[in-house]
Amino acid sequence: MTTTNGKIAAIEAENAVLRQRISELEAQLTSRNDHIAPSNHQEIEEFRGFRTLIETAPQAIGILTFDGIITYANAAFATLTGYDSLIGMNMTALHFEEDLPLLRAHTQSLIASNTWRGVARMRRRDGSAIPVRINAFVIRDDDGQPMAMTGMFEDLTEDLQREERLRLFEALVENAPDAIGVADFKGDIIYANAAYQALTGYGEQLIGMNGFDYIVEEDHRSAQIALARLAEGKAAFLETHIRRKDGSIVPVASTMYAQPTPGGELRIIGFLRDISDQKRAEAERFALQQQVIEAQRAAIRELSTPLIPISETAVIMPLVGAIDSARAQQIIDTLLEGVAAHRAEMAIVDITGVQVVDTQVANALVRAAQAVRLLGAQVILTGIKPQVAQTLVQLGVSLEGIRTTGSLQTGVRLALIGDAAKHRNGKP
């Protein structure tokens, strides 16, 4: 400790002498400016400029003895290490114990070759580690004899953090489940992650290919529209189909945007996802929806045109609501199927619940009656209101072959009477 304090005192004394000498030179320069030779004046100005440059440099700069004692440190060096003053400290204080053998090896290499460049780890005052890039040189006198060492120290913390983020990003992109690629604006692929190479089936051959080489021709127009959007600085979303190397077609969803390079060229960054499973699920859902719709239609047909057997020889179809062309055809189909299935001889069609009977409805009823007669059965039309009867007369609709009654009860009674008569006559 006594030896170190003695060295510090000697250095401080030497610095004091140097500061005094600089002050004297500056005073002489001010008072005798006109008498100073141009060369000497220039040297002093250069010295001032050099000192200002070193003091304000963003890089940490220090001068050391060959024993490692710091004799000069600029402001950036103090900021880097966290010390108020570094003068008199040994460089070993700025390194971790386990790094000292490496420090000595670097120092020996510097002395042997006059320069040393590399990366090392330093210790701040608070004990934290600082990764630094070091450029070190040997200072020699006019006779070429080594006097001291100087070093420039650059904090690499941000650079290493940036490199770490880049490595993480590369790992994220390379292992992403979605296909990710980069292409120039002509479509030539510059980068493709593993998922992209697997999606297309081309592997590393994908690099250098043009995106239009594997997009099916039918989707080229959509791809051109997407490129136009990208040129306008807008993101593009596209569903397209690609032809894999084995010839199979895969539907993909693409999200793309343009990113300018430092040179001003546009790069296309694209994210692609195989949507084969999605398309299959959509097709299955559509098929199921169609089945549901068809089942609903069947239920509606049953509810809107019910056919009820009321005896061994008669069926009844009560109609309610409006009748359009589709429902009219449905009435005919249901009536014919029911008559045939029940072997009915009489079909009662009740229109009590039909509010409007127009030409279309009347013609449908006539067609139904004619079709039923071809099956050997008779149609009884019941529930005809006075206004409906008047409408039928005005329309001139012929109800030939159709028996009519004013009420459903009357029609049912006729059917039951006919059924009873059949039994009396011994008909099965």
Side-chain angles (χ1 to χ4, degrees):
M1 179 65 69
T2 303
T3 302
T4 301
N5 291 338
K7 288 183 178 180
I8 293 174
I11 291 170
E12 289 179 347
E14 184 180 344
N15 288 343
V17 172
L18 289 174
R19 282 194 292 271
Q20 178 63 32
R21 180 56 179 161
I22 291 171
S23 297
E24 292 174 358
L25 290 173
E26 289 177 343
Q28 293 176 11
L29 178 66
T30 302
S31 61
R32 299 172 56 194
N33 189 52
D34 295 337
H35 303 287
I36 297 177
S39 59
N40 294 335
H41 181 80
Q42 182 178 357
E43 288 176 1
I44 293 175
E45 288 300 321
E46 288 177 353
F47 173 73
R48 284 179 173 176
F50 178 74
R51 187 177 64 179
T52 302
L53 177 66
I54 297 299
E55 286 293 336
T56 59
Q59 294 89 3
I61 300 174
I63 299 176
L64 302 81
T65 67
F66 287 106
D67 293 333
I69 303 300
I70 301 172
T71 59
Y72 171 79
N74 68 351
F77 200 179
T79 301
L80 176 67
T81 58
Y83 287 92
D84 297 329
S85 175
L86 291 168
I87 306 302
M89 288 182 59
N90 194 296
M91 277 298 291
T92 56
L94 300 179
H95 286 75
F96 294 92
E97 185 70 27
E98 60 269 25
D99 294 340
L100 293 182
L102 192 61
L103 173 64
R104 286 190 285 269
H106 294 333
T107 302
Q108 293 299 321
S109 176
L110 170 63
I111 295 173
S113 60
N114 290 325
T115 62
W116 183 84
R117 293 178 177 83
V119 175
R121 182 178 66 155
M122 295 180 63
R123 183 174 62 181
R124 287 176 54 86
R125 183 177 185 179
D126 59 11
S128 60
I130 324 166
V132 293
R133 180 182 290 111
I134 303 174
N135 288 317
F137 309 89
V138 172
I139 301 175
R140 297 182 179 275
D141 60 17
D142 293 339
D143 297 328
Q145 297 301 313
M147 297 173 52
M149 302 179 292
T150 184
M152 292 183 290
F153 307 86
E154 181 183 356
D155 188 353
L156 297 179
T157 302
E158 291 187 2
D159 290 346
L160 294 179
Q161 289 175 345
R162 187 162 47 249
E163 290 177 3
E164 179 63 19
R165 287 195 298 269
L166 180 59
R167 282 194 295 269
L168 290 174
F169 176 76
E170 289 177 346
L172 175 66
V173 171
E174 194 59 33
N175 294 283
D178 288 342
I180 302 175
V182 181
D184 61 25
F185 221 75
K186 295 182 295 184
D188 294 334
I189 298 171
I190 301 169
Y191 169 79
N193 71 346
Y196 196 0
Q197 296 178 20
L199 175 64
T200 60
Y202 283 99
E204 295 182 355
Q205 297 176 8
L206 191 61
I207 307 301
M209 287 181 59
N210 191 283
F212 287 95
D213 293 343
Y214 58 78
I215 295 178
V216 297
E217 188 174 351
E218 293 80 0
D219 292 339
H220 280 190
R221 175 60 180 166
S222 299
Q224 291 288 0
I225 294 174
L227 285 177
R229 285 184 58 84
L230 292 172
E232 295 173 359
K234 302 174 182 177
F237 308 93
L238 176 67
E239 279 196 12
T240 185
H241 296 78
I242 64 173
R243 180 174 285 104
R244 303 182 78 249
K245 186 177 181 180
D246 61 10
S248 59
I249 304 297
V250 180
V252 297
S254 306
T255 301
M256 297 174 287
Y257 66 93
Q259 179 72 30
T261 65
E265 298 179 1
L266 287 179
R267 294 286 184 263
I268 302 172
I269 301 176
F271 302 82
L272 294 82
R273 175 173 295 179
D274 184 350
I275 56 174
S276 300
D277 292 340
Q278 175 185 327
K279 289 298 183 182
R280 280 193 292 269
E282 289 175 355
E284 182 179 355
R285 183 169 63 250
F286 178 76
L288 291 173
Q289 287 174 344
Q290 292 302 110
Q291 292 179 15
V292 171
I293 291 172
E294 189 56 40
Q296 290 174 341
R297 285 176 178 170
I300 291 171
R301 281 197 298 270
E302 279 190 36
L303 294 174
S304 62
T305 55
L307 190 71
I308 306 168
I310 59 173
S311 71
E312 294 181 0
T313 61
V315 294
I316 181 171
M317 177 182 283
L319 300 178
V320 178
I323 299 176
D324 56 13
S325 58
R327 191 178 179 200
Q329 184 60 47
Q330 181 182 326
I331 290 170
I332 295 172
D333 294 342
T334 303
L335 191 58
L336 291 176
E337 291 173 3
V339 168
H342 295 283
R343 298 181 180 179
E345 298 176 1
M346 186 176 296
I348 301 172
V349 179
D350 180 58
I351 62 171
T352 304
V354 179
Q355 300 299 319
V356 178
V357 177
D358 55 14
T359 303
Q360 178 174 281
V361 175
N363 288 334
L365 295 174
V366 171
R367 292 199 309 275
Q370 291 172 345
V372 169
R373 287 176 62 188
L374 292 175
L375 296 180
Q378 182 183 14
V379 172
I380 298 178
L381 188 61
T382 67
I384 299 178
K385 302 180 184 69
Q387 62 269 30
V388 173
Q390 187 176 2
T391 299
L392 292 174
V393 172
Q394 290 175 349
L395 293 173
V397 176
S398 174
L399 298 179
E400 183 181 356
I402 301 177
R403 190 170 181 177
T404 62
T405 66
S407 66
L408 175 59
Q409 292 87 341
T410 304
V412 172
R413 187 169 57 251
L414 289 174
L416 294 177
I417 291 172
D419 192 53
K422 178 180 177 183
H423 282 288
R424 283 197 301 270
N425 294 333
K427 293 183 178 180

